[in-house]
Amino acid sequence: MIFKAQEIDFWIEEKKILSNISLNIGSGSFTALLGPNGAGKSTLLKIFSRVLEPSQGKLFFEDKEINSVSLRDFSKNVSYLPQNFHFPFAIQVLDLVLLGRTPHQNFLTFNNQKDLYISISALKKTGVEHLQDRYFQTLSGGEKQKVLLAKCLAQETKVLCLDEPTTFLDLKHQIEFSDLLKKLKSENNFTVILATHDLSFLKNCCDHTVFLKQGEVVQYGNTKELLTTSNIAKLFDLPKASLKGFPLEEYPH
């Protein structure tokens, strides 16, 4: 078990965003968080990534309570790709990917030959080595996502947490990114946790899916069993007839 959440709540001022989240994420799994806008997907992903802390409840990482694991050690194990990534000043692609090496460095080993080798290898794995001297801000959306994924690979973690990674990509780049992530997952046996609206991504990549609605887990299990017309209609408050012809036909209804 890589993550275990026990009765997690999360509040922002007077508003409850997550309520009573109890959930196990298995090691080596590819788990999607699916739900309508405002369901709490990104918030839960940020809690798994330690960007946010639960207001109540407990989170365990590899059977250790999360607060007992130092941030440095945690960052050697878990990487996070946010939905909207903005760097405050112009930075070249290779320098950005090298930032993924930060948890493994100290003042004596800053950007040494090993860090450079691992970062360039990560760019090769995501197919954007040729962009290493470009400025990140000049890249297309698809190129940026591959560079950010390379930064996660350079971090050499066992868990990747990705927040809506295909939201701003066109169909071609959505397919390219999902195929790349599936290939890397197969080669490296990462645990992947993904917040998404993309049902095609779920079908192509994810073996487990968590349905979130109004901050609560309403269903969790095998993707092929959950991803049915009835379940999707109920999750998104849609009439079943509106999903007629939607690409769920390969699964039981």
Side-chain angles (χ1 to χ4, degrees):
M1 197 64 60
I2 201 81
F3 279 114
K4 182 177 182 179
Q6 289 185 339
E7 300 179 344
I8 284 177
D9 291 350
F10 185 79
W11 296 75
I12 296 179
E13 296 179 351
E14 300 294 319
K15 185 175 181 180
K16 199 170 194 178
I17 308 299
L18 295 174
S19 179
N20 197 32
I21 302 292
S22 293
L23 190 64
N24 295 333
I25 303 293
S27 178
S29 65
F30 199 139
T31 301
L33 308 178
L34 180 70
N37 290 338
K41 302 184 299 297
S42 293
T43 300
L44 182 56
L45 192 72
K46 288 176 181 177
I47 287 173
F48 283 134
S49 307
R50 290 186 79 175
V51 176
L52 297 173
E53 292 187 6
S55 302
Q56 188 171 305
K58 293 183 178 181
L59 180 64
F60 296 86
F61 176 72
E62 294 186 323
D63 297 325
K64 298 177 182 177
E65 192 163 357
I66 202 79
N67 290 331
S68 71
V69 181
S70 72
L71 284 172
R72 183 182 178 88
D73 287 342
F74 186 79
S75 296
K76 290 179 181 179
N77 286 283
V78 180
S79 53
Y80 171 63
L81 196 163
Q83 184 175 354
N84 295 303
F85 180 88
H86 299 288
F87 206 76
F89 51 84
I91 186 170
Q92 289 181 298
V93 163
L94 181 56
D95 290 333
L96 178 59
V97 175
L98 277 164
L99 291 176
R101 299 299 303 154
T102 303
H104 304 275
Q105 297 172 336
N106 57 46
F107 70 95
L108 294 175
T109 62
F110 183 72
N111 288 352
N112 59 24
Q113 287 299 311
K114 179 181 179 181
D115 295 326
L116 190 62
Y117 173 78
I118 290 171
S119 297
I120 292 174
S121 296
L123 286 166
K124 287 180 180 178
K125 289 177 181 178
T126 59
V128 287
E129 181 192 10
H130 62 289
L131 300 175
Q132 64 180 293
D133 296 324
R134 288 271 302 275
Y135 282 93
F136 178 75
Q137 288 80 358
T138 70
L139 304 182
S140 70
E143 290 169 338
K144 286 180 177 179
Q145 289 301 81
K146 289 179 181 179
V147 168
L148 293 172
L149 182 57
K151 177 177 173 290
C152 291
L153 296 181
Q155 201 169 327
E156 292 191 308
T157 59
K158 63 181 72 173
V159 183
L160 302 179
C161 293
L162 312 175
D163 192 0
E164 301 276 7
T166 61
T167 294
F168 302 111
L169 304 184
D170 61 27
L171 182 59
K172 177 178 182 292
H173 288 103
Q174 286 178 7
I175 294 170
E176 284 183 356
F177 189 86
S178 64
D179 287 346
L180 172 62
L181 188 57
K182 188 176 181 180
K183 176 176 178 289
L184 291 170
K185 165 76 170 66
S186 175
E187 292 173 350
N188 298 277
N189 196 34
F190 301 124
T191 301
V192 180
I193 309 173
L194 171 86
T196 186
H197 286 106
D198 188 343
L199 296 183
S200 296
F201 205 130
L202 263 70
K203 291 170 60 178
N204 187 38
C205 296
C206 303
D207 47 40
H208 290 82
T209 298
V210 180
F211 284 2
L212 286 165
K213 191 171 184 178
Q214 296 179 345
E216 298 182 357
V217 174
V218 292
Q219 282 185 290
Y220 170 56
N222 181 278
T223 297
K224 289 188 176 182
E225 295 175 359
L226 289 185
L227 204 59
T228 68
T229 300
S230 296
N231 286 341
I232 295 300
K234 185 176 180 181
L235 181 64
F236 288 94
D237 292 323
L238 294 168
K240 284 181 64 174
S242 69
L243 293 171
K244 187 176 182 180
F246 207 77
L248 298 172
E249 287 79 9
E250 65 187 89
Y251 299 133
H253 290 247

